[in-house]
Amino acid sequence: MTDAAHRLLWTIVALVLVAFGTTALWVSVRMLPADDPDATLLGPALDAWRTAAPWSTLAAAVTGVVAALAGQRLLAGELRRPRRALRGVLSRPGHRPGRTRLATEVLVGALERDLTTGGCGVRHARVVLTGVPQRPDVWIRVEVAAGTPTDGVREHVDAAVRRFATTAGCAPAHLDVTARIEPGPP
């Protein structure tokens, strides 16, 4: 369950609780007899419940099952480990060795920004990294403006991938680049 879905489910639960509370308050104010202190509060409500006998019980059971399932989903969402755990380890041997853990999204965002800067005609870039952190598979999809020379785009992508490999300390095991050229004016 995504964070947005989780928040939406909590919002729905909160609104249902507010609706039940408001309804109960309204019923208590409207149905409370002011002149007879011995009158029963739920007399007419129990009569209506008994009149709709099989359907009222079914409605209560369905409401209970839906509430139980929503509660189970919320509880499972709270107890689950976060999906955005840090993945991958970059290590640097040598005089000052060290290890850095990075989320894949950080590397992807940096490479996408590098591909779209520099005035080479790349309008949009989408990067996917998979595999082991030391030798990932890299899939790049670039959208190129109409009339841009493809040789310049190829050199720009090659330079960006070399900078990525040098900076991140991992050479791509597999590199797949797809270029889509935007249609020009007729």
Side-chain angles (χ1 to χ4, degrees):
M1 181 183 302
T2 64
D3 290 339
H6 192 69
R7 283 191 301 273
L8 178 66
L9 195 51
W10 271 114
T11 303
I12 290 171
V13 168
L15 290 174
V16 167
L17 290 175
V18 168
F20 278 141
T22 305
T23 304
L25 180 65
W26 181 77
V27 166
S28 71
V29 169
R30 295 275 297 156
M31 297 191 71
L32 190 61
D35 56 349
D36 187 11
D38 294 330
T40 60
L41 179 62
L42 295 177
L46 286 177
D47 290 339
W49 180 267
R50 289 185 187 124
T51 302
W55 299 111
S56 60
T57 306
L58 181 64
V62 167
T63 302
V65 167
V66 168
L69 287 175
Q72 184 271 335
R73 293 287 304 227
L74 287 171
L75 189 60
E78 289 296 323
L79 296 177
R80 180 186 65 213
R81 288 184 181 182
R83 287 186 181 175
R84 293 186 181 162
L86 294 176
R87 296 178 303 275
V89 176
L90 303 176
S91 58
R92 174 177 164 78
H95 177 64
R96 299 178 69 177
R99 296 170 64 91
T100 303
R101 296 185 67 145
L102 284 177
T104 306
E105 292 85 14
V106 174
L107 294 174
V108 165
L111 185 53
E112 286 174 351
R113 277 190 307 276
D114 192 16
L115 287 167
T116 56
T117 57
C120 65
V122 175
R123 302 257 189 227
H124 181 70
R126 173 86 173 110
V127 177
V128 176
L129 295 176
T130 60
V132 296
Q134 294 79 16
R135 303 239 338 128
D137 294 331
V138 180
W139 282 277
I140 299 174
R141 180 184 171 119
V142 292
E143 293 181 13
V144 181
T148 303
T150 56
D151 291 339
V153 173
R154 180 187 311 257
E155 291 170 5
H156 179 70
V157 170
D158 286 341
V161 170
R162 279 194 309 273
R163 283 190 298 271
F164 167 77
T166 303
T167 304
C170 56
H174 174 77
L175 177 63
D176 185 22
V177 179
T178 303
R180 180 180 165 267
I181 299 173
E182 295 176 346

